[in-house]
Structures are given as C-alpha cells and as structure tokens.
Amino acid sequence: MTRFILVFVLLIFFPIEQLLSQKKLLIHLKPVYEYSGLKTMTTIYDSNDFNYDVARSFKGIPTEIREHAIKILDFQPQQGLFELYLRLNGDMPKDALNEGLKSFGLSLGDTAQLSRQPINHFIFFLIGIDNLGRKFVIGDANNNYNFKDDKIYVFDSSGTKNLFSTLKNNVIEFSCQFAVREKIISKKIFLSISPFTDPTYNYVDQNEKKYNLITYFMEMRKGIGVIDKDSLQVKIISDLTISPLYSSRNTKIFINEKELFYSIGDTIYIKKKKFLLNHITSDGMLLELFYVGISDSIYGNNLNDFAFNFSGTYNNKEFELSDFRGRYVLVDFWGSWCKPCLEKIPDLINISQDFDQLRVISIAEEYGDYHNAKKIISDKKMNWINLFEQLNDTSKNSIAKRYKIESYPTQILISPSGRVLFRSSYRNELTKDSIKKLIE
C-alpha cells in the first residue's frame, strides 16, 4: 500500500514527460539486400591519377568486345593520396598532402587513422561495346586485375526503361578494404550496375558519356520499434563512399516509409512526443533513441514544419532566412551539371517576376569551383539571391544536408510564418499554378 501511494505521488508531482525522459528506445536492425536508392558514378581509369604511379595491366578482356575502357570506383581516395605520399618518400611536400586531404575534410593529423600499407580500397570495372552496340560490364570482384574469372553482364541499347526492374539481377559481391582508426577493415559490398547514360547529368567529357557506369548500393538495415503503441518502421542506409562504418556522417534514417530521411542528432516527433536519434552502432545493427519531451514547435523538412534557418551573403550583405518572415520564400536547390535544373530556370524567372510577395533563393550545389554556375546565373539573368555550396559537403553547415536534398532540382516553398508549404519531388513539381493555389 505504501509503495502504491509513493508511485501515485510521483505521478502527480513529476509529469509524464519527465518520467519518459529517463527512457531510451533501442531498435534492432537486420541487413536486407535490396535497392537502397544510393548511387555513385564511376570514373574512367587514368594511370596518372594521384592514387596510382604505374599503369595496371589487366587480363581476361573478352574477344567479342571491339572497344573498352577501365572504370574505377574508389571508396577511400584519401587513403590513396596517403599511399602515394609514402611511396614518393619525401618527394611530395607536406603542404601538397595537406591540401589534398582538405578536399576530403581531413588534415595531416588524420593520417594517423589511415593505413601505412597499401590496401584494396577501390574496385575496377571493364565496360566494353561490341559490333551490335551491346555493352559488356565486368567487375573485378576479387581485385586480381583479371576479368576472366568474373561474371559478364550484357546490356542491350534499349536505355534505362527496364533498369530498376533488373537491378536485382545485376548484383555483384565485392571484397573491399578500408582504413579506419589505424585498423584495416575488410567488408563485403553488394553493388548493382547500369551502363546507361544518366539523363539528368550534363556530361562534359564525351568519353565519360560513352563509357558511363553507375553503381547502386544494394544493402540497407530494417527494424521495427514501438512508442506508446505506435509502430515505428525504421530503415537505414549507409553511404560507403563516406565511411565503411555506420556513423552520424554517412547514415540516412527513414521513418515509416517517408521519402525524407533523418541523421543521427536529428529529432523525430511521434504524436507531439520528441525523440532524439542519439546513436547508431558502427555495424548498423542497433539504433538508440532518447525521449526528449513534448513540443508543438517542430523544425524540420516535412510539410507544416518550421523551416530550418540558414544564413548567407548576397551583394556583400549578410542575411538569414528568418529575415524574410512575412513573405513567401522559394528555396531552389540546383546545379550547373543538372539538365532538369537548367530546364527549370525559365519557370523560376517567370515565378520571380509574377509574384511580388515571393522571394527566390537559389543554392547551387557544385563540384569544385563555381565558374559554370556563375556564368549561367549571369547569362540567364537569375536576378535573385544566389548562394553556392560544394555538392560533396557533408558538414552540418551544408544547407542541402540540413534540408535532406537527395535529387535536383528540389524546391521548397516557405510560408510567411516560416513553415514548409510545399516540397517538390520528381513526382510533384512546383509550378506557377500550384504556387497560386498555395498562396491564395
């Protein structure tokens, strides 16, 4: 009886959210080998690339192939740079090594986490064309520079219309090594391949277009948790081009089959209850959530969320997104390399001219310098706020990362109160007519 009274008193004086704040939810995840949605374009092998100081000699090229190219997918190019520095034995200045590491977000001190011995952190592919125009793709799954003992995949010239229906038929299991925290980790990687030209990419090098090869990760983790009788379906995907281990940097977390993803450190809301996505184990088998509290003010990327604030500089003046409260804001994520983005520019110009109560902010996501984007902005007379980011920026300062941008173009319409009114997708584009309906 005394214990019952004590519990009753605790419930009166300690709100339920305080009791829940002591709780954590652990969700066990199992590997599933299916299309993850992540892809990476492989590049033509070049013996002058910084990872390699001698040309490789490849064997086992099928006789029916009349022309071919060797492609490379490098999962840890910073390791290759460090290997080259060690091979040159002092002929590469430390400043050059440091500049190269900076492009991967690393510094000289980070080399202590890499391997001083060469490792197999890359995968080679052969892509060839026969007299009928068919494309042959072979992956060097065991890294022995011989394609004779690997499976041959043949593709006709029909294009991409049957691509996604055949992904599971084109899966190759590779063995790869990674240097992580002074240790060498061996990992099996499941990839599906497509040699077809990506219609969304603006190819500059015609050889890259001719010998285009896209690889798709075919691995994810899935699990189910329960929060106050509400089922929580979780799917996580790891981008191995960033790290072989699951971490806050490379893990995308999808909740209840929604298109938008979360990262470690983000919060999710289940019936106004706020949970922190606190930790993912390095093997991706366990996700930890912490209960934070109850809140009506939700900042995020979903419809009706308050849009994340960001800052920038335009015409030598600093501004924040919140400065435009009281007006509609259209945030446009694009890139000079993206054909659909370029095709969308005339529509954006019309929108910016036809809606006085709307402000456009374009954010160009680019590889390397911003010369191409700046030239397009000038030539097309994109007379609104333009910001620039690196496409491969994975830091918390990246606006695209904050807004979970996965495809281009993506446009987000924000209301005068700062809430997300609309988010475009390949199935649902933002047009003048849809804007009229949203702001009326």
Side-chain angles (χ1 to χ4, degrees):
M1 183 66 178
T2 303
R3 182 179 298 176
F4 173 79
I5 293 173
L6 178 60
V7 172
F8 180 74
V9 171
L10 284 172
L11 288 173
I12 291 175
F13 289 99
F14 293 90
I16 188 67
E17 57 263 33
Q18 278 189 280
L19 293 177
L20 283 173
S21 66
Q22 306 303 316
K23 293 184 177 181
K24 63 181 179 181
L25 175 66
L26 299 178
I27 299 179
H28 294 270
L29 303 155
K30 294 182 179 180
V32 179
Y33 301 106
E34 61 185 52
Y35 175 57
S36 70
L38 290 179
K39 68 177 183 178
T40 180
M41 298 180 71
T42 54
T43 58
I44 291 179
Y45 168 66
D46 183 357
S47 61
N48 296 317
D49 198 8
F50 66 73
N51 282 343
Y52 315 100
D53 56 353
V54 292
R56 308 288 183 184
S57 178
F58 292 95
K59 300 178 181 179
I61 298 173
T63 56
E64 61 264 42
I65 293 178
R66 60 179 171 82
E67 56 179 295
H68 73 273
I70 303 297
K71 309 278 288 186
I72 183 171
L73 176 58
D74 194 338
F75 287 104
Q76 201 170 28
Q78 60 269 36
Q79 170 66 28
L81 176 62
F82 186 48
E83 289 175 12
L84 177 59
Y85 173 78
L86 295 174
R87 278 200 304 271
L88 294 177
N89 195 26
D91 289 342
M92 176 190 287
K94 277 196 173 182
D95 288 346
L97 173 63
N98 191 40
E99 284 302 310
L101 290 172
K102 278 184 179 178
S103 65
F104 305 112
L106 303 176
S107 64
L108 285 174
D110 295 314
T111 57
Q113 300 183 22
L114 300 175
S115 171
R116 299 187 68 85
Q117 301 298 323
I119 62 174
N120 293 326
H121 53 91
F122 43 75
I123 295 171
F124 288 107
F125 296 87
L126 180 145
I127 178 168
I129 304 172
D130 68 2
N131 290 324
L132 299 177
R134 297 179 302 175
K135 290 187 176 180
F136 292 67
V137 178
I138 312 174
D140 186 16
N142 53 9
N143 276 300
N144 66 350
Y145 311 120
N146 190 339
F147 297 108
K148 189 174 182 179
D149 54 0
D150 297 294
K151 183 177 178 180
I152 300 175
Y153 295 84
V154 183
F155 299 82
D156 61 26
S157 57
S158 62
T160 60
K161 61 182 180 181
N162 297 319
L163 170 62
F164 293 101
S165 63
T166 60
L167 278 178
K168 288 188 177 182
N169 299 324
N170 305 325
V171 180
I172 309 176
E173 178 183 331
F174 294 93
S175 298
C176 207
Q177 293 179 314
F178 300 86
V180 180
R181 301 169 191 165
E182 303 180 23
K183 295 181 180 179
I184 298 176
I185 296 176
S186 296
K187 186 177 178 64
K188 297 290 185 182
I189 299 172
F190 296 86
L191 297 175
S192 187
I193 53 177
S194 167
F196 298 120
T197 301
D198 187 340
T200 67
Y201 195 79
N202 187 23
Y203 293 91
V204 177
D205 186 335
Q206 291 305 304
N207 278 330
E208 279 288 352
K209 183 176 182 179
K210 183 178 182 180
Y211 297 113
N212 180 65
L213 184 64
I214 300 175
T215 55
Y216 297 82
F217 291 111
M218 298 294 287
E219 180 182 337
M220 63 181 69
R221 300 278 194 271
K222 287 186 177 182
I224 297 177
V226 178
I227 298 177
D228 292 344
K229 298 181 181 180
D230 290 311
S231 178
L232 199 66
Q233 297 182 52
V234 176
K235 177 176 70 177
I236 66 171
I237 297 171
S238 170
D239 188 347
L240 297 177
T241 59
I242 299 175
S243 170
L245 303 179
Y246 287 83
S247 68
S248 60
R249 292 180 62 241
N250 71 335
T251 301
K252 298 178 180 180
I253 305 170
F254 297 83
I255 305 294
N256 292 339
E257 301 299 329
K258 290 185 178 180
E259 290 186 10
L260 290 179
F261 66 89
Y262 297 90
S263 303
I264 297 297
D266 287 349
T267 53
I268 62 173
Y269 294 82
I270 307 296
K271 293 185 177 178
K272 296 187 178 181
K273 295 183 180 69
K274 184 177 180 181
F275 290 85
L276 171 69
L277 296 170
N278 186 59
H279 178 67
I280 182 77
T281 55
S282 60
D283 59 5
M285 302 300 280
L286 191 65
L287 178 66
E288 181 182 82
L289 287 74
F290 274 157
Y291 176 77
V292 178
I294 293 178
S295 174
D296 288 322
S297 298
I298 303 174
Y299 283 83
N301 307 286
N302 293 303
L303 294 183
N304 297 319
D305 289 354
F306 283 102
F308 285 117
N309 196 27
F310 62 84
S311 60
T313 302
Y314 183 69
N315 287 341
N316 297 319
K317 293 182 179 180
E318 293 186 357
F319 73 92
E320 292 186 352
L321 177 64
S322 57
D323 294 339
F324 302 109
R325 287 289 175 89
R327 303 185 67 175
Y328 291 93
V329 180
L330 176 59
V331 184
D332 170 52
F333 294 88
W334 71 293
S336 63
W337 47 270
C338 165
K339 282 186 178 180
C341 299
L342 304 183
E343 294 169 356
K344 193 73 177 175
I345 291 175
D347 292 336
L348 274 176
I349 293 173
N350 289 333
I351 288 171
S352 69
Q353 294 173 346
D354 290 353
F355 297 96
D356 294 334
Q357 67 273 50
L358 183 145
R359 195 69 181 262
V360 177
I361 301 176
S362 283
I363 303 172
E365 304 289 328
E366 296 291 302
Y367 299 99
D369 62 49
Y370 305 120
H371 174 76
N372 290 339
K374 289 181 177 180
K375 187 176 187 305
I376 292 170
I377 290 168
S378 175
D379 292 347
K380 300 292 185 179
K381 294 182 173 54
M382 298 166 63
N383 299 321
W384 51 75
I385 295 176
N386 286 281
L387 303 180
F388 304 89
E389 288 192 336
Q390 287 295 303
L391 187 64
N392 59 354
D393 185 359
T394 59
S395 71
K396 292 183 178 180
N397 296 324
S398 167
I399 302 171
K401 183 184 178 190
R402 200 83 188 273
Y403 277 85
K404 315 296 185 188
I405 304 302
E406 285 288 280
S407 60
Y408 296 86
T410 293
Q411 293 161 343
I412 298 173
L413 183 63
I414 301 171
S415 74
S417 64
R419 290 184 181 272
V420 177
L421 276 181
F422 183 92
R423 182 182 175 112
S424 70
S425 68
Y426 67 93
R427 290 192 297 255
N428 194 11
E429 293 186 350
L430 190 65
T431 64
K432 281 178 60 176
D433 290 339
S434 60
I435 289 178
K436 284 180 182 179
K437 293 178 181 178
L438 288 166
I439 69 177
E440 283 179 351

